[in-house]
Amino acid sequence: MGVFGNPEARTNRVTASEMENAIALTQTPEEQELENKLAELAALETALAGRELDLATNQAQLHAFEREYLPIVGS
């Protein structure tokens, strides 16, 4: 029987998608460490963006307070 007539022969074939998945799952320690560091960097960048927003908000509130305070009390 040919390859197409034998169901076992078809199950032994590896698709390109399966090969890509197998390659992606086999990472060197350096690649795994890089992936971890990139994830850590993304988390730190998110935290930094939040803190920069807090800083901008606090600076705006301070300037608003100064605009009220200085005319009343003087410089």
Side-chain angles (χ1 to χ4, degrees):
M1 216 180 253
V3 173
F4 296 109
N6 184 351
E8 289 181 24
R10 278 186 256 137
T11 59
N12 290 335
R13 293 182 181 220
V14 178
T15 66
S17 176
E18 291 170 332
M19 286 182 105
E20 289 175 12
N21 288 340
I23 291 170
L25 295 176
T26 29
Q27 292 181 330
T28 65
E30 292 82 8
E31 290 170 330
Q32 182 61 44
E33 183 177 353
L34 176 61
E35 186 176 310
N36 292 342
K37 293 293 183 182
L38 290 172
E40 183 181 357
L41 176 60
L44 290 170
E45 287 175 334
T46 300
L48 175 60
R51 290 185 178 186
E52 287 176 334
L53 178 60
D54 291 342
L55 173 61
T57 301
N58 290 336
Q59 286 175 330
Q61 290 174 344
L62 175 61
H63 292 307
F65 171 77
E66 287 174 339
R67 279 191 302 274
E68 283 184 45
Y69 175 83
L70 290 177
I72 296 169
V73 177
S75 47

